[in-house]
Amino acid sequence: MFDRYASRLYDFTARHKRFVQLILIFLIIISLAALFFVKFESNMSEILPQNKIISRSIEFFRDSNIAGKVIVSLELTSPDKDQKDLLREIDSLAGSMDKSLFPAIAVGISESSSANAIDNMFKNLPGMVSESEISQIDSWINVERVSQKLHDAYLQLLKPQGVFMNSMLRSDPLGLRMLVFEKLKTLSSSTGYDVEIKDGHFISRDGRHAMLIANSAVPVTDSEGSKKLLDSLKNNLKKLPEYISADIICVHAHTVSNEKTIRRDINFISVVAAVVLILLYVFVIRDFSAVLIFFVPVIALLFSIVLSYFFLGKLSYWVIGLGSTVAGITIDYGTHVYFAARGKIDPSTFVKHVIKPVSFGAFTTIAIFIAFFFSKIEGYNQLAVFTIITIILSTAVSIFVLPHLIVNTTGKSHFADHAANKLENTNLSNGLTVLSWLFLTFALASFAAHVEFERDIKKIDGTEKNIIQAEERFHKTWGGEKTHAVFVVSSKNYEEALEVNEKIYSEAVQAVGTGNFTSIALLLPSEKTRKENSERWNRFWSEDRRQRLRKLFLEEGRKYDFSENAFEPFFSNLKAYSSKNDVPDFNFLERFVHKTNDDYRLMSFFPDTKEYVDLLNEISTRYPNTYLVSETVLSDTLSKVVSADLKLMIWISAVSVMVLTYMCFFNIRETLIALVPPATGIIWLMGIMSLLGLSINVANMIAGVLAIGLASDYGIFMTYRSRFNIQAGTVLAITLCTVTTLIGAGVLIFAKHPALSSVGVTMVIGVGTGFLSSIVVVPKLCELFVKKR
């Protein structure tokens, strides 16, 4: 039935070929015009699975003020310049930056703002001080402690800067501020950075580096926005004098660098592959009309972009990139039709002979991409729509338009004809090759079971070396190379968030230790705890205890000529502080407290190791609206989700390919023989990857599925060829298609981006082994089990 209707459609297009060609030209013009209205997106989040943990982590990084930071480290390179020159230039840089891209810029902390922040904390001391700290204060109220503190105060006042410390020493002679300092010191340790504050600026210990920290208005997943942001910043850095060098540290640089590397690789690969392929076709076929084969996927791509955008409403750059690679394999369909039609006085019989294998080869590839609709990765769904449209259009143009453009070709290549005859009549398949294939397949199957999925996302990160080197210099100067995970408490009510955060802190320090969990709960306990602490503070500072301390100050103060009312501000503050129960300003605590449009997020930090992640994840499960943001968790989750996707897609693809292959032959034996190349491709691919120590990742997963689809086409063509005695140049066409695919994939191996390189390796192994089995195994199996018609 398929052959009958396909033949009728072919005859119809043959009779009306001028009309069909005019319609095609008209559609090309319309599509070219429509391209100006297509808007492409470059959001990398579309290639990540739609998983709660992954989506939440991406959302956290997008909305938080952590991932959006842009850091600039300036280095003084000339020995003739001093720190004043360095500070002047970093101040100038901060003033010149675009405020629409960098809404908040900091080059340090001024002494006044730091003092105000500390005073603000100190005023809220009653609500922060725990029962154990009250006991510590009680141990300070004795002659030895008071005498030591007044002696230290006396020495401080004798120094030139003593005049500026007079007020602070009078308001806190007992050193209660140290309780605040210790808490702040614990919080600052979570950053892991080694920073000094000099003249209100962030300075390295060697005094030769200054740091600028800016908040970005551009999400790190927005590659176009990130490029604009970095271009603006680099233009500002160009104005720096020669004795200043600068390093940019931000996630945006990784986003832009990955896209830049991919585009550069694709451009280079496209040019090299196109030149080599054209030379190959010209050398082998020696027929100018063969160039028309290359126009088939180009036309199909043009239509697919417009139609996909119409159906989806959006289209991603990376989908176009991968889809274009898939479109490249549709050259195979045009190649088979070309060899069937070229040089024939009446090519209809030969073209009709290949319509069914070409069509079912396309159907099996389509079936593979239908499996992508079951993926949790939105980008794969887009890719499925785009590639299916491309394959359908390429197949239609190859079968019903291309033959009528090359039917009158007379420029036959003796080389191509000789090669076609030689390949058609040479039997490379025999019992020995089949036995060897069986032995190797069983051997590699044992290794295939041990191939692993790549859990470390950084292994397929194509960030340029200069960015990695800049980060290494930064960490060498400033520290902070250790990765921290984040324990997030989210709530619409701020006080509720504080209460949950306090409970989690209490459990977390018991699980991983006080030194391994840094939380704002040290400074911001819940309202209930603040109230209890304040009441305890008031009870502690009874009139008797105040008088006893006042007497100690008076007696010990006489030794250093302090007046009787020298420390009266301290006792006045005790009375004033006892009624305070306020919440400190957010700006000082932005690393730990973040306000979004919908909720409050309190963030605690801990070392990102599997042991700590497991312990704290157990705590998180007991508290709703809490979660971990961790590279370890993200990698493990991504690995599990994508590997589950891969297994599902492989099963769906396998079943679809088997069903469609059977529909092509309606014969069990022929179906099983035609499935030998795709089965060989997947077993040998997994086995060889395991032997070479290669792993499956998000990128080469698609390439592996695609390689199976191509091998499936080879199986169908070679099995179908064995049915008849028609010389349609099938073996030469398959060989040429394989060579062109291996050239394109082979060039990918040399790509600088590891993801593209892994795609190239996967395609070469999968397609190469599938082709070999179709040439050296399928013919012998057909000879043994299939009768020629």
Side-chain angles (χ1 to χ4, degrees), residues 186-187 501-502 505 517-523 592 603-605:
T186 301
L187 294 182
N501 190 58
E502 183 180 13
Y505 175 71
F517 194 81
T518 307
S519 172
I520 196 61
L522 291 169
L523 288 175
F592 299 90
M603 295 165 282
S604 303
F605 298 86

Side-chain angles (χ1 to χ4, degrees), residues 502-607:
E502 183 180 13
K503 292 178 181 178
I504 288 173
Y505 175 71
S506 177
E507 294 188 32
V509 294
Q510 293 180 6
V512 301
T514 306
N516 294 318
F517 194 81
T518 307
S519 172
I520 196 61
L522 291 169
L523 288 175
L524 286 180
S526 65
E527 183 179 16
K528 178 183 176 182
T529 302
R530 292 200 306 273
K531 185 177 180 180
E532 291 174 354
N533 289 343
S534 296
E535 291 174 353
R536 187 186 303 111
W537 174 276
N538 292 336
R539 290 194 302 271
F540 175 78
W541 288 110
S542 63
E543 186 62 29
D544 290 341
R545 185 171 275 107
R546 293 187 191 188
Q547 291 302 326
R548 181 155 57 94
L549 184 58
R550 191 188 297 272
K551 183 178 179 181
L552 286 173
F553 281 146
L554 182 62
E555 292 174 353
E556 296 301 317
R558 289 175 184 155
K559 298 177 182 179
Y560 305 102
D561 293 329
F562 285 111
S563 64
E564 293 183 2
N565 61 349
F567 304 108
E568 195 58 35
F570 172 73
F571 293 101
S572 299
N573 288 339
L574 285 180
K575 185 176 181 180
Y577 295 166
S578 64
S579 62
K580 298 286 289 185
N581 194 25
D582 297 337
V583 179
D585 188 3
F586 286 167
N587 292 334
F588 187 68
L589 305 169
E590 64 173 351
R591 177 173 170 80
F592 299 90
V593 181
H594 181 60
K595 175 70 171 70
T596 68
N597 294 330
D598 300 322
D599 58 9
Y600 294 89
R601 291 177 184 172
L602 304 187
M603 295 165 282
S604 303
F605 298 86
F606 60 93

Side-chain angles (χ1 to χ4, degrees), residues 661 665 670-671 673-678 709-721 734 770-771 773-774 778 782:
T661 304
F665 298 103
E670 290 176 315
T671 299
I673 293 172
L675 290 173
V676 166
L710 284 172
S712 156
D713 294 350
Y714 300 157
I716 290 174
F717 274 106
M718 290 302 295
T719 306
Y720 200 81
R721 166 183 174 269
I734 289 179
F771 166 74
S773 63
S774 70
V778 170
C782 288

